[in-house]
Amino acid sequence: MSYREKENIINILSGLLITLIYGWVVLQRHLEGTIDLTTDYKTWGSVFLIFILVSIVARIIIYIIFHIINAIATREQRIPAEDERDKLIKLKATRNSHYIFSSGFVMSVMALAFGMPVYMIFIAFIIVGLISEIVDNGSQIYYYRKGV
Amino acid sequence: MGKSQIKNNIRRLRFNADEMTQQQLADAVGASRQTIIAIEKGNYSPSLELAFRIAHTFSTPLEEVFLYEHIEIIKKKK
């Protein structure tokens, strides 16, 4: 398995892990009554901003750990430089990811129009964001294996 | 995606160039080893620039490295 494939698998797993843990923590705080996610939309803003920060910090830590383990296991110190094929694969994967996110966004807005509570759209954004990220990294793995 | 109609002689040219490794070729043309493997297998058609760089590394014309297999698609008229 190439470095890029391993990197994408780590991205999928870390995305799932961070979202699930953060989602569980936020849900617990909501159930305890510390925050109210059904009517207070200002809290949703904070939840999203903190999620972005937590996600960045956690990913940096996970990426450093992955690089150290990979360097020990493969004895390859340097990260392979990105070439034209890597860039093309990334572009196609980003396109697929945007298709998913756009579809999810439209479906969320449609659900809102059909009477779904507003807070559900925020939950839908998190789920769609996670799915689109999985599609992005999954597409990259697919293109690396099957060709582009 | 998948196998392209562009075939190549990179494997043979590497062998003739003192059994050059895929990594050596990758370093010479500024691509990754994975990209060279994908090109050799026909899973990736390189850009014109990379194709010229590969040809230049072997000091051969481009058409000796890459070949285009023209496949006629016959559409049956009903």
Side-chain angles (χ1 to χ4, degrees), chain A residues 36-122:
Chain A
D36 180 23
L37 295 173
T38 51
T39 51
D40 189 4
Y41 303 124
K42 197 181 160 192
T43 309
W44 271 110
S46 310
V47 164
F48 269 93
L49 285 175
I50 295 166
F51 178 61
I52 292 166
L53 284 174
V54 166
S55 191
I56 291 168
V57 172
R59 272 165 200 276
I60 290 169
I61 294 165
I62 290 168
Y63 195 76
I64 290 167
I65 294 167
F66 159 66
H67 188 63
I68 292 167
I69 293 170
N70 187 61
I72 293 166
T74 61
R75 294 176 194 281
E76 276 182 22
Q77 291 295 314
R78 66 183 180 130
I79 300 168
E82 204 176 62
D83 64 8
E84 59 171 50
R85 180 167 157 266
D86 296 321
K87 283 175 187 162
L88 182 65
I89 286 172
K90 214 169 240 185
L91 268 172
K92 287 194 171 188
T94 306
R95 178 202 59 188
N96 297 346
S97 160
H98 282 187
Y99 282 155
I100 297 295
F101 192 81
S102 308
S103 308
F105 179 81
V106 171
M107 280 192 277
S108 308
V109 173
M110 278 168 69
L112 200 65
F114 285 114
M116 192 176 74
V118 179
Y119 71 88
M120 285 299 286
I121 204 166
F122 295 111

Side-chain angles (χ1 to χ4, degrees), chain A residues 2 83-85 142-143 147-148, chain B residues 1 32 35 43-44 46-47 50:
Chain A
S2 72
D83 64 8
E84 59 171 50
R85 180 167 157 266
Y142 176 81
Y143 291 132
V148 63
Chain B
M1 210 164 5
S32 68
T35 299
N43 286 337
Y44 174 63
S47 68
L50 181 57

Side-chain angles (χ1 to χ4, degrees), chain B residues 2-77:
Chain B
K3 296 279 177 189
S4 75
Q5 285 175 244
I6 298 171
K7 305 292 168 195
N8 66 81
N9 295 316
I10 295 176
R11 193 176 289 244
R12 181 177 58 78
L13 288 164
R14 278 198 303 111
F15 183 77
N16 292 342
D18 289 335
E19 295 184 23
M20 181 192 274
T21 64
Q22 289 170 330
Q23 187 62 60
Q24 283 171 329
L25 177 60
D27 292 339
V29 298
S32 68
R33 187 175 154 261
Q34 300 303 320
T35 299
I36 299 298
I37 293 168
I39 295 169
E40 275 192 12
K41 283 183 179 173
N43 286 337
Y44 174 63
S45 298
S47 68
L48 201 55
E49 192 182 341
L50 181 57
F52 269 113
R53 270 189 266 152
I54 293 168
H56 179 75
T57 305
F58 294 120
S59 305
T60 51
L62 189 65
E63 58 268 29
E64 206 173 299
V65 184
F66 294 98
L67 311 149
Y68 180 71
E69 280 191 357
H70 185 70
I71 299 167
E72 288 285 338
I73 300 165
I74 303 160
K75 288 180 180 173
K76 288 181 181 177
K77 288 182 181 177

